[in-house]
Amino acid sequence: MMSQNKSDEFTVILREQGVQYVVDTAGQPVAVLLAVEEYEHYLDLMEDEADNQDAELAARLSAAAQSEEERLPFRAYIAEREATDDDIHG
């Protein structure tokens, strides 16, 4: 079994090498290897893109932006909100 230090060394080596391409037998790039952090960022971008194409969400955001009513910041809303006596199920 590989030690944690050895695993960390490989991670550092891979990061230092930069972008890694997977090529086919003709040497043409067919894929890109990403670090886990880069892949998670990619997934976030894809989710944002999907949200941008959602017509209902776009209409709701547009309506909220045009509202004359000043909205409270989230922390202020939480501070003013009344507490409930509901049970918290864990």
Side-chain angles (χ1 to χ4, degrees), residues 65-77:
Q66 294 174 4
S67 174
E68 300 280 330
E69 181 180 327
E70 185 172 333
R71 295 174 21 161
L72 288 175
F74 182 71
R75 290 179 191 255
Y77 167 76

Side-chain angles (χ1 to χ4, degrees), residues 1-64:
M1 185 164 150
M2 188 184 316
S3 71
Q4 183 63 34
N5 289 340
K6 202 66 152 165
S7 176
D8 290 342
E9 288 177 29
F10 287 133
T11 303
V12 170
I13 291 168
L14 287 173
R15 285 191 181 143
E16 289 175 355
Q17 295 299 319
V19 176
Q20 299 291 318
Y21 293 95
V22 177
V23 296
D24 62 13
T25 56
Q28 297 298 313
V30 294
V32 178
L33 300 176
L34 300 174
V36 172
E37 296 87 12
E38 293 171 318
Y39 181 65
E40 289 171 349
H41 180 68
Y42 168 77
L43 292 177
D44 288 342
L45 290 174
M46 295 304 293
E47 185 176 324
D48 290 347
E49 184 177 318
D51 287 346
N52 288 337
Q53 295 178 10
D54 184 337
E56 180 184 346
L57 180 59
R60 290 172 51 201
L61 289 173
S62 178

